[in-house]
Amino acid sequence: MTDQVTAGRTHEGPARCAAVLSWPSRRSAVPPGLDPEDFRLALLEDTYEVVAGLQLVTPALVLDPPDQPDAEAVTWPGTPIVREATLAGAFAALHALGAGTAALVAPDAPDLPPLLLGKLFRALGTAPAAACRAEGGAGGNGLVALAARLPLPGWLAGALREVDLDTPDALARLRAAAPRPGLVPQGPGWHRLRTPDDLRFLDPGLEGWESTRALLEGHPLGR
């Protein structure tokens, strides 16, 4: 077990980990006038800063493809790096590092309130998994984040080999795979930035999302 993951251990139980997915092949649509890679990395960095600021939670990064030096560069020194192409594989790798609970977070939620991730971890006290659903926008539904106790139960691990955070009906499919109702509760939803039109959800009055804010300087937010 690494020191980073051990740092997420609390008096309440095993270590907690929150990992941001860096999957460039599933990147968001880019606002006109912006470099696609710069925009992707700005969203990734701000989303990582959200999870890195959580108390008693170890931040991590999930890479697919495995070689992404620019993505690794946005993390703090010592951050665990997981190289997996599925949610099931990412959860298993985090468990192997010592995590007892973990949340996987979409890379395009730079203004995600930390409180929403905290609610997912609290829900794991009574359920094996909990989801934050993506709301609004033209990019479909899917999930902003999925949290789970580790190791995953077999039904959830099997479902997550075919479902990811971009699957439009992800929550419904995970619930359908569960052996009984109530095993995947839903926390408050949030938005993702998957199309240029989704920029309207950003609130300039809220703190955070500094890298995205700087990159968008001079670009209207669609309000």
Side-chain angles (χ1 to χ4, degrees), residues 95-194:
H95 180 58
L97 289 174
T101 57
L104 299 179
V105 184
D108 47 20
D111 59 340
L112 180 65
L115 177 64
L116 298 190
L117 292 177
K119 287 180 179 294
L120 295 185
F121 280 114
R122 284 195 292 276
L124 298 182
T126 56
C132 172
R133 191 176 183 188
E135 293 185 341
N141 287 319
L143 303 176
V144 177
L146 178 69
R149 298 179 200 159
L150 304 178
L152 296 177
W155 62 267
L156 183 55
L160 290 179
R161 294 188 182 96
E162 304 295 334
V163 172
D164 61 28
L165 301 187
D166 292 322
T167 304
D169 59 346
L171 183 57
R173 290 176 63 174
L174 296 181
R175 286 175 166 171
R180 63 181 185 277
L183 295 185
V184 190
Q186 177 182 347
W190 195 248
H191 50 261
R192 293 174 55 183
L193 305 185
R194 289 180 282 190

Side-chain angles (χ1 to χ4, degrees), residues 5-222:
V5 175
T6 302
R9 186 175 296 277
T10 77
H11 66 281
E12 298 174 346
R16 294 175 177 174
C17 185
V20 181
L21 308 177
S22 180
W23 289 347
S25 63
R26 311 172 199 192
R27 70 179 60 188
S28 304
V30 180
L34 295 182
D35 179 82
E37 187 65 5
D38 288 346
F39 184 63
R40 181 182 80 86
L41 291 173
L43 296 180
L44 179 69
E45 181 171 11
D46 286 337
T47 307
Y48 171 80
E49 289 295 332
V50 171
V51 304
L54 295 171
Q55 294 187 346
L56 303 176
V57 176
T58 297
L61 189 65
V62 180
L63 303 181
D64 177 40
D67 184 20
Q68 297 182 48
D70 289 342
E72 292 189 46
V74 309
T75 66
W76 296 359
T79 296
I81 305 295
V82 169
R83 306 174 199 278
E84 291 287 346
T86 67
L87 300 187
F91 276 126
L94 294 172
H95 180 58
L97 289 174
T101 57
L104 299 179
V105 184
D108 47 20
D111 59 340
L112 180 65
L115 177 64
L116 298 190
L117 292 177
K119 287 180 179 294
L120 295 185
F121 280 114
R122 284 195 292 276
L124 298 182
T126 56
C132 172
R133 191 176 183 188
E135 293 185 341
N141 287 319
L143 303 176
V144 177
L146 178 69
R149 298 179 200 159
L150 304 178
L152 296 177
W155 62 267
L156 183 55
L160 290 179
R161 294 188 182 96
E162 304 295 334
V163 172
D164 61 28
L165 301 187
D166 292 322
T167 304
D169 59 346
L171 183 57
R173 290 176 63 174
L174 296 181
R175 286 175 166 171
R180 63 181 185 277
L183 295 185
V184 190
Q186 177 182 347
W190 195 248
H191 50 261
R192 293 174 55 183
L193 305 185
R194 289 180 282 190
T195 73
D197 187 58
D198 292 339
L199 295 178
R200 72 186 191 276
F201 295 121
L202 291 170
D203 185 347
L206 292 179
E207 295 182 356
W209 57 281
E210 298 301 331
S211 295
T212 304
R213 192 190 305 267
L215 196 63
L216 291 173
E217 186 173 356
H219 292 262
L221 296 182

